[in-house]
Amino acid sequence: MKYFIFLVLAKVLLSQNTAYEKFQKYVQSPNGCVLWIEYYQSYFDDEFISSGILYAKEKMYIYDNKKQYIKYEDGYITTINKPNKQVVYDLINKKDVTIFDILIGNNKNIYIENSITENNQIRIPFSIEIWGIKGSIWINQVDGSPEKVAFIQDKDIKVHIDIKSSVNSSEFNPPTYDILEYEVINLIE
């Protein structure tokens, strides 16, 4: 009987990380991952809605939509404001957690809780204590592809991200922009 309880407990403990590992394997594919997303954020009475494409490969993330292009790589962030023709270069503290880290499965400072099966999806609850964030990632049971992310930060900020579609592809071609005539703001100095 002791061995049966041990085996059941071991299976439960091992399965808790399997869903998150499946998610990480999907979004951290060596070929790259492309996510078409709808982003909703509310902050007190203000709402922000955006849709765009998130490209991820290795440790580089790019979010692109009609108004902006954001590239994060090796702690550096480049933001292109398309309507205002501005480029901003900045440095992000490596201890900080970005929305990209959550979407792409980078688990630094992210505490992953036990996964739950719901409506043919797996929900992976998580928290980021240093930011006061609690949320969940919903993934496809079969391949681990992300389907939705939602979180709340200190009851003031609510974020909901719907992943409309995703693909791992060797034809990973994020956009590039000619910024020669753009105003440059360098915040790194």
Side-chain angles (χ1 to χ4, degrees), residues 67-85:
K67 294 183 179 182
Q68 64 184 355
Y69 166 96
I70 302 169
K71 179 178 180 183
Y72 176 79
E73 186 172 22
D74 294 328
Y76 293 94
I77 191 161
T78 302
T79 305
I80 299 174
N81 182 320
K82 297 174 188 178
N84 294 338
K85 294 192 174 193

Side-chain angles (χ1 to χ4, degrees), residues 129-144:
E129 291 181 16
I130 61 173
W131 289 87
I133 291 175
K134 288 199 175 288
S136 292
I137 303 166
W138 285 262
I139 66 169
N140 180 289
Q141 282 185 318
V142 176
D143 65 4

